[in-house]
Amino acid sequence: MDCAFKAISDLDKELKFKDTEVCLTNDDKIVIKYDGREDRFDLSELKGAYVEDGVGIGKLILVKKSGEEVEAVYFTKRPIDDFRKLAILINGRLSGNGHYEGLSLVREERRKPNVRSTLLWLLNFMRPYWHKMLIGVILSISIAMLNLVPPYLLKILIDNVFLTQTHSMKLFIDLTLTLIGSYVAVTALSIAQNYILNTVGQRVVNDIRSKVFKHAMRLSASFIDRISTGRILSRLTTDAGNTQWLMVWGLPTLIVNLLTLIGIGVILFTMDVRLALFVLLPTPVIAYMVYRYRKKSHRIYHRNWRRSADVTSALSDTIPNYMVIKSFAKEDYESDRLDELLNRLYESQVKVTKMNISYWPFLGLLTSLSTVMMWWFGGEQVIAGTIQLGTLTAFVAYMAQFYGPINNLSNIIPFIQQAVTSGDRLREIMEAEPDVKEPEHPKKPDLKGDILFSNVWFSYDKYTPVLKNINLRIKVGEKVAVVGKSGSGKTTLSKLLLRMYDVDSGEIKINGVNIKDIDLQYLRERVAYVPQEVALFDNTVAYNVAYGSSRRIEPWEIIAACKAARIHDEIMQLPLAYDTNLGERGSSLSGGQRQRISIARAIIKQPDIVILDEATSNLDVINEAEVYRAIMNLAKGRTTIFVTHSFVEVMSADRVIVMANGEIIEEGKPTELIARRGAFYQMFKDQLELFTGELRLLKSEDDKGALTLADYVKDAVLDLSKAKVKVRPGSRRSLVTLMVNGEVYSDLKPKLPFPISQPEYVILYDRDGRERFMISNYRKLDPESVKLLEEAIKLNNFKPMTLSIKGIDVKGDELEWHLVTNYGEVTVRTRGRRNVILMDSRLTLIDVHDNVYEIDLKKLDKDSLKLVAETI
């Protein structure tokens, strides 16, 4: 029997754990073998096949042409993917669709971890620092050897000084000085060893994290989806830290302890063979007890770690969701739940304590009894004159040192194994190849052209299609809405266009060029993607907007993009305008503000193609209207794809694509689809009357082409190289009068859009709050104008300059700064790291009341600089 594909079930017909073999033969038969019996099905009798999921169980259902369904095979969830592949293959054979054939036979072989190869892989990271690591190991061995010196000196001191008739003072002094020298040498070498190993270790772990991060960023989205972001973060933090310990401390400690054991053993047997054997006597018992302890403690410690992780997980889950907890009055419930977890953790900690006191005190007693027995046996030998007292004393000292390495080795070996496992997890990332690869000869064509999907099939798991035979042309400059139920494949289209994934078959072309032949970075730079869930970084507004472009962005471009996104005025109301830190995920902004900043980030790219993926789905009516206007500014003159459920967005499109189950089922102008009364009409019929009056809001006033960033600020930016600009006093100290090419503009208020990063950039507002002018660098004005403008700026943007720092008190997450400024002494409290901003050589403090204080580090005295260096 020649199998084209074989799947092995782990259940039989009676649901007992027995293997059942299912074979799809090359001659179109399905053969099922179980309990020495065989069932056969001919594909000519079937209409289809599918896998049905249950709780802990799956079933392969074969559908006969008569409509009868046969539960052919049962299995647990373990082999379910193989049976899904089998079902796809069967359906492919029945339909004659070769696409399925090509997808199904790919099996991923999991690389088996190899301790030796992983260690060699990790040691490669140490290659640039091998000379320092060699010095560190030599220092470690030297310290171990020097620690063997004091007991031997004690032997000589007792035997050759205290117990002799001469009591040689010279030898006494020499031994004392040698002992001092050995202790000083150990201290000096320990300092050097700690410095070298710790600095090298941090450098190595930083290299690992950097390389793993860079490689992870280059991997395809499918790999990130499979591993998950949380697990990748764990590997970059915990696993990288474990490998640092292994390479810097674990392996040197292993070597040093082995050499220490050998060294002590040689010394003991050289001094007295009988006493040396006595030292070794309890070693097997100690080794056995340590082995038992490690075996038992592994399970108990893991339970303790899991329960500790439960507490951490509960805290990380509840604290960010405190608003939900309060709104449902669940404070007491969550407190009780945490108490229960803490009690479980306490119980496991008590078990750990009981386990430790049931082993280590007895081990200590055993070594103590061994010492007593040695004193007894050795004492008898001393009294009999067989050995000297110094020899016995040295033996006792070496005995204490001998058992230490045994215990150390038993403790570090499990951690070495754990670190090797961490190294293997890091290797999994580093050795993964991206599914989406750069073309060998990348092209950078003009993307202002038609987008063509030709016979596109795609599946995330390579055997369950999400898109099926998609054929679609989107004309240049066209606005296309893609609609359908969740899971219909709408978002997948946009991901394929960005080459987050590659199609399984078929092709996607832009302006006649297959996107697989286009330079990947260039493609993504020319396509703007605005997702439903806005991702903002814990950084300033300016940083988040400028993030949209790979080139160096000028301040006016950031402002222009935000004007186009209709968010500029709201940004200027923030405490530090464009230099305001948005917090984690933009937590300080509303949903509509976050979305408009996301649109500004897309606008600043000046893209050729725009993809809006449910960009307005989470907004209220007022914010939605503002975002719609921003979207139309972004979409004007550009090829735009709306992935949406919004009727307003759909009706503003030139054409609508309706999708279901990965296929295009309707296509046409919105009004045409409404008239057809098909799937599109059924989807939106309840909203037709509600939104009719709003449709004019989204229609572009003209389609003359995409606006440039300069179009949004062209009437405001003053070019000081061309315009004649003078500043004169206003009616108040905080206002100025501006003379531009002979025209007078009275009582303008200067504001700084970038008060920290670009303090020379100024926007001037009239009394009605309208922006009149922008000056990119007011310091290029004549001296009198600069002086007048700076005086007005100071009264609108107060930023004291720090002359010296008297002290910095650390109070939890707060820092209390005692500053001497150019306006006098002041105490400033900052909370959190984002309120202490370091840019070049300038430190900016934002206190708890949003006041701003500047510190020029170049002008600080040494004591103030030392305080800053020790704190920040």
Side-chain angles (χ1 to χ4, degrees):
M1 181 176 61
D2 189 11
C3 284
F5 187 84
K6 183 188 292 184
I8 305 296
S9 165
D10 51 1
L11 296 175
D12 66 7
K13 297 276 188 179
E14 305 301 322
L15 303 186
K16 293 181 180 178
F17 287 105
K18 291 183 181 179
D19 286 352
T20 298
E21 181 183 299
V22 183
C23 173
L24 176 61
T25 67
N26 286 321
D27 58 351
D28 289 345
K29 288 182 174 55
I30 301 169
V31 181
I32 303 172
K33 294 182 178 180
Y34 61 97
D35 292 336
R37 291 181 288 172
E38 190 174 279
D39 291 343
R40 286 177 174 266
F41 296 89
D42 198 305
L43 292 191
S44 62
E45 303 171 355
L46 302 179
K47 185 167 64 174
Y50 65 93
V51 170
E52 185 177 274
D53 283 356
V55 177
I57 191 171
K59 298 180 282 291
L60 176 66
I61 311 294
L62 300 179
V63 185
K64 293 187 174 182
K65 288 183 176 179
S66 63
E68 178 189 356
E69 294 190 349
V70 178
E71 295 183 357
V73 188
Y74 302 100
F75 38 84
T76 69
K77 293 299 183 73
R78 183 176 58 83
I80 197 168
D81 285 348
D82 282 342
F83 281 94
R84 285 179 178 150
K85 293 179 183 180
L86 178 60
I88 292 293
L89 259 180
I90 293 169
N91 290 327
R93 293 273 185 93
L94 292 172
S95 65
N97 193 328
H99 163 76
Y100 288 106
E101 295 275 353
L103 292 180
S104 56
L105 298 178
V106 178
R107 290 178 183 267
E108 292 186 6
E109 294 295 330
R110 184 178 176 85
R111 180 182 55 81
K112 294 181 179 179
N114 183 296
V115 173
R116 181 173 174 273
S117 63
T118 298
L119 279 173
L120 291 174
W121 180 80
L122 287 171
L123 289 173
N124 280 329
F125 287 97
M126 300 182 68
R127 188 172 293 173
Y129 315 104
W130 69 268
H131 53 290
K132 291 185 178 179
M133 278 303 303
L134 180 61
I135 293 171
V137 172
I138 291 172
L139 289 173
S140 299
I141 294 171
S142 301
I143 292 168
M145 294 175 64
L146 284 169
N147 282 328
L148 301 179
V149 172
Y152 198 80
L153 293 178
L154 182 63
K155 170 189 177 300
I156 298 172
L157 181 66
I158 293 172
D159 291 342
N160 298 345
V161 177
F162 295 156
L163 299 180
T164 61
Q165 296 292 331
T166 58
H167 300 300
S168 173
M169 284 302 295
K170 182 179 182 305
L171 183 57
F172 179 65
I173 293 170
D174 289 344
L175 289 171
T176 303
L177 292 175
T178 304
L179 187 62
I180 292 171
S182 70
Y183 286 140
V184 170
V186 167
T187 302
L189 293 177
S190 295
I191 292 171
Q193 177 215 35
N194 273 278
Y195 177 79
I196 289 173
L197 291 183
N198 277 297
T199 52
V200 170
Q202 196 55 58
R203 177 64 66 185
V204 169
V205 79
N206 285 348
D207 286 351
I208 291 174
R209 284 174 176 152
S210 175
K211 289 178 181 178
V212 172
F213 177 80
K214 287 176 182 176
H215 189 73
M217 288 297 99
R218 293 188 180 96
L219 290 174
S220 305
S222 57
F223 181 85
I224 307 296
D225 293 341
R226 185 170 71 250
I227 296 294
S228 85
T229 54
R231 289 170 66 188
I232 291 175
L233 285 173
S234 173
R235 296 180 193 199
L236 285 168
T237 52
T238 305
D239 289 326
N242 288 342
T243 57
Q244 175 192 8
W245 176 89
L246 169 70
M247 292 183 289
V248 177
W249 292 107
L251 294 179
T253 301
L254 181 66
I255 295 168
V256 168
N257 278 282
L258 286 172
L259 292 175
T260 300
L261 276 175
I262 294 169
I264 292 175
V266 170
I267 292 172
L268 292 178
F269 277 94
T270 303
M271 291 172 62
D272 191 288
V273 175
R274 289 172 300 171
L275 284 180
L277 291 171
F278 218 94
V279 171
L280 296 176
L281 192 62
T283 302
V285 179
I286 292 172
Y288 175 72
M289 290 188 70
V290 168
Y291 167 75
R292 286 288 304 273
Y293 173 80
R294 294 305 315 173
K295 192 173 182 181
K296 184 176 181 180
S297 67
H298 179 75
R299 184 175 64 257
I300 292 177
Y301 270 114
H302 265 280
R303 181 181 64 179
N304 192 58
W305 292 332
R306 286 194 302 270
R307 291 188 178 181
S308 177
D310 289 342
V311 172
T312 304
S313 178
L315 292 172
S316 61
D317 189 38
T318 52
I319 292 174
N321 294 313
Y322 71 95
M323 284 298 292
V324 177
I325 294 168
K326 286 183 174 296
S327 65
F328 287 95
K330 289 289 186 179
E331 295 92 338
D332 292 339
Y333 169 79
E334 293 296 344
S335 297
D336 292 342
R337 189 164 72 95
L338 180 62
D339 285 342
E340 183 180 345
L341 292 173
L342 289 170
N343 287 333
R344 285 171 53 80
L345 176 59
Y346 171 76
E347 289 172 7
S348 67
Q349 289 169 334
V350 169
K351 290 286 186 183
V352 170
T353 303
K354 287 181 178 179
M355 176 190 64
N356 285 331
I357 63 177
S358 67
Y359 275 88
W360 299 121
F362 290 106
L363 277 175
L365 177 63
L366 180 61
T367 56
S368 298
L369 289 176
S370 299
T371 305
V372 172
M373 292 174 68
M374 175 171 285
W375 273 113
W376 176 266
F377 178 76
E380 285 184 333
Q381 300 300 310
V382 170
I383 293 170
T386 308
I387 63 172
Q388 293 180 303
L389 178 61
T391 302
L392 177 61
T393 307
F395 255 91
V396 173
Y398 280 125
M399 186 177 181
Q401 290 190 8
F402 184 77
Y403 294 136
I406 294 175
N407 188 39
N408 289 340
L409 287 172
S410 67
N411 284 330
I412 67 170
I413 287 173
F415 290 106
I416 288 176
Q417 180 58 52
Q418 179 181 340
V420 170
T421 303
S422 291
D424 197 65
R425 284 153 59 87
L426 291 169
R427 278 184 77 184
E428 184 182 1
I429 294 177
M430 288 296 291
E431 294 179 353
E433 290 292 331
D435 298 328
V436 176
K437 296 180 180 179
E438 283 278 8
E440 288 186 13
H441 305 288
K443 300 177 181 178
K444 295 184 178 181
D446 183 3
L447 298 189
K448 296 185 179 74
D450 291 0
I451 301 169
L452 180 65
F453 288 77
S454 299
N455 303 315
V456 169
W457 289 79
F458 175 74
S459 58
Y460 289 103
D461 55 15
K462 298 302 180 189
Y463 52 87
T464 306
V466 176
L467 296 180
K468 305 168 187 174
N469 201 31
I470 298 296
N471 290 281
L472 172 66
R473 179 182 291 274
I474 301 173
K475 295 178 181 178
V476 61
E478 189 178 19
K479 296 176 179 61
V480 173
V482 184
V483 302
K485 294 180 180 179
S486 296
S488 60
K490 306 186 304 297
T491 297
T492 302
L493 277 178
S494 62
K495 289 180 179 179
L496 292 180
L497 192 56
L498 283 163
R499 273 203 83 197
M500 295 299 178
Y501 304 88
D502 273 337
V503 299
D504 295 330
S505 62
E507 60 182 7
I508 302 173
K509 291 183 177 181
I510 302 177
N511 203 11
V513 180
N514 192 318
I515 62 170
K516 289 184 178 181
D517 298 327
I518 300 174
D519 181 277
L520 197 54
Q521 185 174 349
Y522 173 78
L523 171 68
R524 291 171 183 170
E525 283 176 353
R526 303 311 308 151
V527 179
Y529 177 67
V530 182
Q532 176 182 359
E533 297 295 333
V534 179
L536 297 181
F537 296 99
D538 188 359
N539 212 306
T540 65
V541 176
Y543 175 89
N544 276 282
V545 174
Y547 198 84
S549 179
S550 58
R551 61 185 176 82
R552 188 179 182 278
I553 296 297
E554 297 297 329
W556 70 265
E557 293 178 284
I558 296 172
I559 293 172
C562 290
K563 281 177 173 287
R566 304 180 67 86
I567 188 65
H568 169 70
D569 291 339
E570 291 164 67
I571 291 171
M572 289 301 295
Q573 300 303 315
L574 296 174
L576 294 173
Y578 283 87
D579 284 335
T580 302
N581 194 296
L582 296 180
E584 188 175 359
R585 298 182 181 275
S587 57
S588 60
L589 302 178
S590 70
Q593 290 172 326
R594 287 197 296 270
Q595 193 61 274
R596 278 177 282 155
I597 286 178
S598 179
I599 292 172
R601 186 162 60 192
I603 289 172
I604 209 165
K605 294 176 77 167
Q606 293 291 274
D608 298 322
I609 300 167
V610 177
I611 302 171
L612 296 135
D613 190 354
E614 304 284 6
T616 60
S617 61
N618 293 331
L619 304 178
D620 56 69
V621 175
I622 296 174
N623 272 315
E624 192 175 29
E626 285 297 306
V627 171
Y628 280 149
R629 293 184 178 97
I631 285 173
M632 295 316 293
N633 282 337
L634 171 60
K636 185 179 291 186
R638 296 184 173 95
T639 305
T640 306
I641 301 172
F642 296 94
V643 178
T644 183
H645 285 102
S646 167
F647 184 64
V648 178
E649 286 182 4
V650 169
M651 295 306 295
S652 69
D654 301 320
R655 189 157 51 103
V656 178
I657 308 297
V658 184
M659 297 191 67
N661 299 317
E663 299 178 283
I664 296 175
I665 58 172
E666 278 189 342
E667 182 179 349
K669 293 182 178 180
T671 51
E672 292 174 353
L673 295 182
I674 291 171
R676 285 184 202 172
R677 301 290 176 113
F680 176 79
Y681 175 79
Q682 294 300 321
M683 193 179 299
F684 292 106
K685 64 180 181 180
D686 293 337
Q687 302 176 49
L688 278 168
E689 294 182 2
L690 294 174
F691 284 90
T692 301
E694 294 286 335
L695 297 183
R696 297 189 194 91
L697 182 68
L698 278 182
K699 290 298 180 182
S700 300
E701 294 178 3
D702 61 78
D703 286 313
K704 294 179 180 177
L707 293 176
T708 66
L709 291 172
D711 291 327
Y712 291 97
V713 293
K714 63 182 179 181
D715 296 328
V717 176
L718 289 177
D719 186 347
L720 297 183
S721 64
K722 298 178 181 178
K724 294 181 180 180
V725 180
K726 293 284 184 181
V727 179
R728 294 292 179 260
S731 62
R732 294 178 6 216
R733 289 177 63 196
S734 62
L735 304 177
V736 295
T737 294
L738 208 65
M739 300 176 67
V740 181
N741 295 328
E743 292 206 27
V744 178
Y745 300 88
S746 300
D747 288 348
L748 302 179
K749 178 185 287 187
K751 290 185 179 181
L752 302 183
F754 309 95
I756 296 173
S757 59
Q758 304 280 344
E760 70 282 354
Y761 205 103
V762 62
I763 300 178
L764 296 127
Y765 291 80
D766 63 19
R767 284 187 174 274
D768 296 325
R770 293 176 300 176
E771 284 185 17
R772 299 310 301 261
F773 299 105
M774 296 183 194
I775 302 176
S776 62
N777 189 352
Y778 72 82
R779 294 192 179 100
K780 290 183 178 180
L781 295 167
D782 63 274
E784 184 183 356
S785 294
V786 170
K787 184 178 179 181
L788 285 168
L789 191 54
E790 284 186 338
E791 178 68 18
I793 288 172
K794 180 177 67 179
L795 294 171
N796 291 293
N797 302 268
F798 184 57
K799 290 191 301 178
M801 178 62 70
T802 299
L803 305 177
S804 67
I805 303 173
K806 285 189 170 183
I808 305 173
D809 299 328
V810 180
K811 298 182 177 180
D813 196 36
E814 285 191 356
L815 296 175
E816 190 172 271
W817 304 71
H818 303 283
L819 308 178
V820 178
T821 74
N822 55 337
Y823 293 101
E825 294 189 17
V826 65
T827 297
V828 175
R829 288 188 297 119
T830 60
R831 184 177 296 130
R833 294 194 65 83
R834 67 170 64 104
N835 291 330
V836 181
I837 304 168
L838 180 62
M839 287 187 179
D840 299 324
S841 61
R842 191 170 50 195
L843 192 66
T844 303
L845 309 180
I846 305 169
D847 74 2
V848 293
H849 306 292
D850 289 330
N851 297 311
V852 181
Y853 301 84
E854 286 200 352
I855 303 173
D856 189 339
L857 298 177
K858 291 181 179 178
K859 295 180 180 179
L860 279 185
D861 57 273
K862 290 183 178 179
D863 290 339
S864 298
L865 274 175
K866 185 179 179 182
L867 276 172
V868 172
E870 291 174 349
T871 308
I872 303 303

